[in-house]
Amino acid sequence: MELQQFKYDNKITKYFIIATVIFGLVGMLVGLLIATQLVFPEMNMGLQYTSFGRLRPLHTNAIIFAFVGNAMFAGVYYSMQRLLKTRMFSDMLSWIHFWGWQLIILAAAITLPLGLTSSKEYAELEWPIDIAITLIWIVFGINMIGTILKRRERHMYVAIWFYIATFVTVAVLHVVNSFAIPVDFFKSYSWYAGVQDALVQWWYGHNAVAFFLTTPFLGLMYYYLPKAANRPVYSYKLSIIHFWSLIFIYIWAGPHHLLYTSLPDWAQSLGVVFSVMLIAPSWGGMLNGLLTLRGAWDRVREDPVLKFMVVAVTAYGMSTLEGPLLSIKSINAIAHFTDWIIAHVHIGGLGWNGFMIFGMLYWLIPKMWGTKLHSTKLANVHFWLGTLGIIVYALPLYAAGVTQSLMWKDFDAEGFLEYPNFLQTVTQIIPMYMMRAIGGLLYLSGAIIMTYNLIKTASSGYFIANEDAEAPALEKKKIVGGHWHSAWERKPVFFTVLVLVAILIGGIVEMVPTFLIDSNIKTIETVQPYTPLELHGRDLYIKEGCVSCHTQMVRPFRSETERYRGEYSKAGEFVYDHPFLWGSKRTGPDLHRIGGRYNDAWHYSHMYDPQITSKGSIMPPYPWLFTQSIDPEKTAGKIRALRKVGVPYPEGYEDTANEELKAQAQKIVASLKADGIEASEGAEIIALIAYLQRLGTDIKVETAQK
Amino acid sequence: MFKHYFEQVHNVAIWPIISLSIFFVFFLGLMIYVWKIKKSYVDQMGEMPLKDDSPEIRTHSINLNNH
């Protein structure tokens, strides 16, 4: 058989690695900064661009899409060429992919601090960037499928399956969740409202974890772990079962992010059942990874690559056991909205993704530069700093989560809340926040040492940009027979379609009934669309990222209806919420029943400096809301866009809306004046107060009527 | 908007049952396949990541090991 000569493209891997390291350091640094802000609010630096609410999405996006994303592409481009015995399908597509992705990251780094956000977690970027992501993702997909089609290896190794699943599923998730109607170039409203928006968002959010942070990394594990250990994966049979069961089950589990919310009960239960089932494939994968090292454990003592990978796979196992447990309703009742969840995701992020990346980089760079690692000793220092960093990060947050949650739920002997002031439960856990920041600092220090070590390694070698390779051509003759699965693997396009079917079923079964059945969302007659001024206020709430720290979802617990002095949140209250703003974390109290609880002057002072009304609060001041004005020109566009997604504003309402806006603003200014505060009508703070005072009050109108 | 389309689907409740059945059968098939799969094929697949080094890198590693 004729041997064909060709070259592997290492240069594209090199560039993705450089981006990984740079954005990794940046993402971690932003993380450290916002962790510090939770202890010292002064670290918000009095600037709107550096306030916690705007930087938090920058941190999550930088880590997920820039650090982990670039690492994924580096790992995929390297392993795919070798597993398929061919160069990538098109060098041009590879480079469009690379530079396109970096431009998207740049756009995110500019728009998020400016407060241009959709507010949907891990999907914050506004619609023009969403379209760019879609296009670049398709470029990646074409390049990948093209490479598979021109391969010289008949069978696709299991890592490739995981890459295919990643491409297909992320494409579906991103497109469905990003449906929105633009108001202008920088602003849009989600196509979905309230409960439906929440369901779509967490179907996306959960599966972004599954198919951006997990499946590609399982593919990388199945390639780089055997490489580093120099032995085949423990059980290839297990990897087949692992793949199909994981991609099928994962997609159903999203609703576990919405337990005890206004989501219909059946959807919550479905999410719980599938989440618990997920333990099986996840642990199958973890054991398959760890058992690959059977008989080679002595090497784990010496080889930093294996050290990192062992901890990574262990962290994968821990967080995939923890996740299902957190999905059980009784555990979720304690953990949800607390720092426990932050600890959980960081076991995954720092442990699984981070350590897998570090292991991969320590293996790849000496290989691609044809040299040895500059210093094994420094790599070991990195390993221990990182490991300690994870522990010092996570343990205090577990303690903080449980402590705070139990304080929220604590009643005294007379049946009153033991800690009626939310702030008491915050000041209690500040020492834990401090330790968390130290954990983050340790982890970041390790990454800096790695960067130095890798640069030294590269400079001691010579970069092999185009690596010679040879393989026999794939014969065109039709192979008949073989088992059906091995036949499928030979048909990559068919295989891709099967993957698509597997992941669509879960999403459709969950979402169709929620959109279809009227009884899922009980209509509440008194619930009305927002007034124009409240709309402006709501958009400011979105812009400032208030949703990062405040929920709008009073769960049906006595401890919550008591604390938030109102009924628990009903699905029908959110029918005009494009997007929903339920939030996922209570660093501050829930705000769904905040309307009418304090007077306008209280909100005015509180936003100017939270210390005035709440001594010891860790919320930063928002002085710019008092000097910046809302733009009434935008009112009409907002109303038109919302009407398109189904909010029943009457025709022509946009023409008179600004008069109504002005009247409502004057009322608030007058009420402030009665309390001795001079405020200007157009100031952003007035709109924000209008929105906050409206929150959760519609349902009270109904109660009053009865 | 979405409602309109889904309402055209007759007996919508049958779809989850069908999908469950499809996947039950699929998994059953998968387990049987994995059970019966040939050892030579599994070994060959498992070895795949270990056999992809180019001659250039292989020579290089050998040189390093000899140092």
Side-chain angles (χ1 to χ4, degrees):
Chain A
M1 213 182 302
E2 178 214 1
L3 269 183
Q4 292 182 332
Q5 311 286 328
F6 56 97
K7 287 174 192 296
Y8 293 133
D9 182 2
N10 280 350
K11 199 175 164 197
I12 186 73
T13 308
K14 171 183 164 181
Y15 272 67
F16 273 120
I17 287 177
I18 293 171
T20 304
V21 174
I22 293 174
F23 290 127
L25 293 177
V26 173
M28 290 175 212
L29 195 65
V30 178
L32 183 59
L33 173 63
I34 61 175
T36 323
Q37 290 175 340
L38 290 178
V39 186
F40 308 107
E42 302 77 26
M43 292 302 286
N44 285 273
M45 297 182 266
L47 288 172
Q48 49 186 319
Y49 312 109
T50 50
S51 62
F52 183 91
R54 297 200 193 176
L55 287 188
R56 193 256 176 185
L58 186 68
H59 165 62
T60 52
N61 278 279
I63 292 298
I64 297 173
F65 300 109
F67 175 52
V68 177
N70 277 315
M72 172 214 305
F73 299 135
V76 168
Y77 275 82
Y78 184 89
S79 60
M80 192 161 203
Q81 299 184 72
R82 284 155 181 85
L83 285 171
L84 300 171
K85 302 252 184 311
T86 177
R87 197 180 172 89
M88 287 306 290
F89 171 61
S90 153
D91 279 17
M92 192 180 72
L93 289 183
S94 300
W95 289 108
I96 294 176
H97 176 199
F98 175 79
W99 287 110
W101 196 255
Q102 311 316 317
L103 279 177
I104 288 166
I105 292 167
L106 183 70
I110 294 169
T111 55
L112 291 173
L114 287 175
L116 306 171
T117 168
S118 74
S119 89
K120 293 173 87 166
E121 269 181 88
Y122 324 124
E124 286 92 350
L125 302 175
E126 265 301 346
W127 68 273
I129 309 177
D130 277 342
I131 292 174
I133 294 172
T134 311
L135 295 176
I136 295 300
W137 195 256
I138 291 170
V139 167
F140 168 53
I142 295 173
N143 208 9
M144 177 156 78
I145 304 283
T147 310
I148 295 173
L149 289 176
K150 69 169 219 183
R151 69 198 189 278
R152 293 189 180 82
E153 174 65 59
R154 192 165 301 281
H155 291 285
M156 288 193 294
Y157 182 64
V158 66
I160 308 284
W161 311 356
F162 278 103
Y163 302 159
I164 292 178
T166 301
F167 163 67
V168 170
T169 316
V170 171
V172 173
L173 293 169
H174 173 70
V175 170
V176 173
N177 189 43
S178 298
F179 270 125
I181 286 287
V183 177
D184 55 36
F185 194 70
F186 295 114
K187 174 79 194 164
S188 62
Y189 290 123
S190 172
W191 186 270
Y192 320 99
V195 174
Q196 293 164 349
D197 197 36
L199 186 64
V200 174
Q201 158 59 26
W202 283 112
W203 167 77
Y204 163 88
H206 175 73
N207 290 302
V209 174
F211 288 86
F212 205 90
L213 303 175
T214 307
T215 54
F217 275 68
L218 287 170
L220 298 180
M221 174 188 90
Y222 276 119
Y223 180 78
Y224 291 93
L225 189 59
K227 275 291 211 202
N230 201 23
R231 52 188 56 230
V233 61
Y234 170 66
S235 164
Y236 194 77
K237 289 183 178 188
L238 182 54
S239 73
I240 296 174
I241 299 174
H242 178 202
F243 174 78
W244 284 108
S245 45
L246 192 86
I247 66 158
F248 176 60
I249 297 176
Y250 234 129
I251 206 86
W252 297 70
H256 69 215
H257 290 258
L258 298 168
L259 300 181
Y260 291 109
T261 66
S262 309
L263 188 74
D265 232 18
W266 64 265
Q268 296 189 25
S269 303
L270 203 62
V272 172
V273 171
F274 275 88
S275 303
V276 174
M277 277 164 66
L278 258 180
I279 296 177
S282 303
W283 273 53
M286 172 195 69
L287 292 173
N288 213 359
L290 287 181
L291 288 174
T292 300
L293 295 165
R294 79 208 174 283
W297 283 96
D298 54 307
R299 291 193 41 220
V300 177
R301 242 180 307 162
E302 288 139 27
D303 186 355
V305 173
L306 287 179
K307 278 185 200 178
F308 276 107
M309 289 190 178
V310 165
V311 172
V313 176
T314 310
Y316 173 64
M318 293 304 106
S319 54
T320 52
L321 175 67
E322 191 186 12
L325 294 182
L326 286 169
S327 306
I328 295 169
K329 280 185 112 176
S330 47
I331 299 179
N332 192 274
I334 298 171
H336 198 43
F337 295 150
T338 74
D339 287 295
W340 186 339
I341 307 303
I342 318 299
H344 168 61
V345 298
H346 281 84
I347 295 290
L350 301 171
W352 165 236
N353 295 117
F355 269 37
M356 202 68 204
I357 292 171
F358 300 148
M360 190 177 83
L361 295 183
Y362 281 123
W363 186 87
L364 269 177
I365 292 199
K367 203 97 176 163
M368 293 201 311
W369 269 264
T371 181
K372 280 202 329 195
L373 187 63
H374 167 67
S375 163
T376 308
K377 208 171 180 177
L378 280 181
N380 281 327
V381 172
H382 175 201
F383 172 77
W384 282 109
L385 278 175
T387 307
L388 278 175
I390 296 173
I391 294 168
V392 177
Y393 183 102
L395 287 186
L397 284 191
Y398 284 121
V402 176
T403 305
Q404 193 178 28
S405 184
L406 294 181
M407 287 174 85
W408 289 343
K409 290 174 186 291
D410 205 6
F411 284 98
D412 64 15
E414 280 79 42
F416 295 109
L417 284 171
E418 183 73 48
Y419 306 97
N421 186 352
F422 190 91
L423 196 49
Q424 288 173 290
T425 74
V426 177
T427 45
Q428 182 73 26
I429 57 171
I430 289 193
M432 286 109 162
Y433 280 164
M434 209 177 285
M435 282 170 71
R436 175 264 286 273
I438 294 169
L441 180 65
L442 289 176
Y443 193 90
L444 174 62
S445 320
I448 293 170
I449 292 174
M450 175 195 74
T451 310
Y452 168 78
N453 202 357
L454 292 181
I455 292 173
K456 287 297 266 188
T457 306
S459 59
S460 75
Y462 177 75
F463 178 62
I464 309 158
N466 292 295
E467 194 178 312
D468 288 323
E470 56 182 27
L474 193 60
E475 282 179 82
K476 286 279 179 239
K477 76 168 192 212
K478 202 168 167 61
I479 294 195
V480 189
H483 280 288
W484 45 270
H485 196 276
S486 48
W488 286 1
E489 286 159 38
R490 294 197 298 262
K491 297 191 173 73
V493 177
F494 180 60
F495 188 90
T496 308
V497 173
L498 275 183
V499 170
L500 182 67
V501 172
I503 61 119
L504 279 183
I505 288 181
I508 292 173
V509 171
E510 251 170 37
M511 276 191 276
V512 170
T514 317
F515 282 87
L516 183 61
I517 304 167
D518 285 326
S519 63
N520 277 327
I521 300 171
K522 298 217 166 46
T523 322
I524 302 172
E525 275 171 24
T526 51
V527 173
Q528 296 294 327
Y530 294 103
T531 67
L533 187 65
E534 289 158 7
L535 265 188
H536 277 279
R538 191 168 200 272
D539 286 344
L540 287 167
Y541 188 97
I542 290 171
K543 182 181 176 190
E544 298 303 341
C546 305
V547 72
S548 297
C549 295
H550 295 281
T551 56
Q552 291 187 16
M553 176 48 63
V554 179
R555 294 177 296 176
F557 299 132
R558 193 178 144 240
S559 59
E560 298 208 354
T561 50
E562 197 79 358
R563 176 176 302 280
Y564 301 114
R565 298 184 203 169
E567 291 186 51
Y568 63 87
S569 305
K570 312 286 189 302
E573 293 183 81
F574 303 100
V575 290
Y576 304 127
D577 281 17
H578 297 267
F580 81 115
L581 291 171
W582 294 359
S584 61
K585 171 72 173 63
R586 281 183 191 149
T587 304
D590 188 276
L591 297 181
H592 192 216
R593 301 279 176 231
I594 194 78
R597 180 159 174 178
Y598 304 102
N599 62 16
D600 295 347
W602 186 93
H603 283 294
Y604 190 92
S605 314
H606 179 248
M607 294 305 296
Y608 188 75
D609 183 1
Q611 302 295 333
I612 299 173
T613 54
S614 321
K615 193 85 195 121
S617 165
I618 55 172
M619 178 166 140
Y622 288 81
W624 56 90
L625 295 176
F626 298 78
T627 50
Q628 290 172 181
S629 300
I630 56 165
D631 183 1
E633 299 273 302
K634 295 210 166 134
T635 313
K638 288 179 199 285
I639 287 170
R640 273 196 294 270
L642 283 172
R643 190 188 290 128
K644 270 185 216 151
V645 292
V647 180
Y649 288 114
E651 283 299 327
Y653 180 66
E654 55 268 43
D655 303 329
T656 57
N658 274 334
E659 291 160 30
E660 202 178 304
L661 181 150
K662 207 170 152 69
Q664 193 180 4
Q666 280 168 345
K667 239 167 111 182
I668 294 172
V669 168
S671 105
L672 287 173
K673 196 163 184 183
D675 284 311
I677 297 170
E678 286 293 336
S680 105
E681 251 173 63
E684 288 183 337
I685 183 69
I686 304 297
L688 189 64
I689 291 175
Y691 172 62
L692 292 174
Q693 295 292 31
R694 171 73 184 274
L695 270 177
T697 52
D698 284 12
I699 199 170
K700 292 179 184 163
V701 178
E702 184 187 44
T703 321
Q705 279 173 353
K706 277 179 191 166
Chain B
M1 163 81 206
F2 297 93
K3 247 187 91 172
H4 173 74
Y5 296 105
F6 293 133
E7 265 167 357
Q8 320 287 318
V9 185
H10 189 60
N11 269 343
V12 81
I14 196 78
W15 294 102
I17 312 278
I18 292 176
S19 23
L20 182 70
S21 319
I22 291 173
F23 269 87
F24 186 74
V25 172
F26 180 83
F27 275 116
L28 215 61
L30 189 70
M31 297 307 277
I32 294 169
Y33 159 71
V34 168
W35 186 262
K36 290 174 64 178
I37 200 169
K38 269 202 213 97
K39 192 166 174 358
S40 60
Y41 169 74
V42 168
D43 289 344
Q44 180 206 337
M45 291 305 289
E47 291 283 336
M48 231 183 232
L50 305 177
K51 289 189 170 160
D52 61 4
D53 276 345
S54 60
E56 196 176 343
I57 291 281
R58 261 204 301 274
T59 336
H60 190 82
S61 324
I62 292 163
N63 287 343
L64 279 182
N65 292 339
N66 292 344
H67 271 297

